[in-house]
Structure formats: C-alpha cells, structure tokens
Amino acid sequence: MKIKFNPDSEIVKLVQDGLKKTGGYCPCRLEKTEETKCMCKEFRDQIKDPDFEGFCHCMLYYKSLEA
C-alpha cells in the first residue's frame, strides 16, 4: 500500500489552499469536526480496507495497492 498526493498539481494546490483557509478541515465539507480534519475519518477508514484503491473525498490523496 502506498499513499501519495494527486498527480495533478493544480488540484493539490487548490485543496491545500482550502485546508489553510479552513484550519486543516476538509474544504469540501461544511461541518468542522474531528471526522473532517485532514486526513479525514472517511479516508482513514478507506485506507484500512485492504481492497480499496482510489482518491480521498477531496482528491488530495490517492491510495495505491502497489507498494
């Protein structure tokens, strides 16, 4: 398993700018809770799933099944 940033640098910059504005909370979510703090609970749960491969909700991170 490997977690990396989205290969699209424009998306990475956009999401990182949003994270700065929200104090580290997912800029795609309205609520600011511990579950929406980046790296959000949804993606942490997806990381635990051995069969999941894909992007987090806001497309900042990508989980690859390859090492």
Side-chain angles (χ1 to χ4, degrees):
M1 174 189 74
K2 187 174 191 176
I3 297 171
K4 55 189 172 184
F5 282 119
N6 187 325
D8 186 330
S9 61
E10 289 185 35
I11 290 176
V12 171
K13 181 172 177 3
L14 182 69
V15 175
Q16 287 179 331
D17 288 348
L19 287 167
K20 288 176 188 171
K21 290 178 184 174
T22 62
Y25 294 94
C26 181
C28 306
R29 310 276 183 167
L30 294 176
E31 62 227 7
K32 291 184 173 130
T33 66
E34 283 303 309
E35 291 187 353
T36 62
K37 188 90 168 176
C38 190
M39 185 176 286
C40 69
K41 181 180 180 332
E42 178 183 359
F43 193 56
R44 290 190 314 262
D45 289 345
Q46 289 171 326
I47 290 169
K48 292 176 189 174
D49 178 353
D51 297 322
F52 174 78
E53 180 170 3
F55 288 102
C56 67
H57 177 81
C58 65
M59 307 272 300
L60 178 61
Y61 296 108
Y62 185 82
K63 178 192 170 195
S64 173
L65 296 178
E66 297 178 14

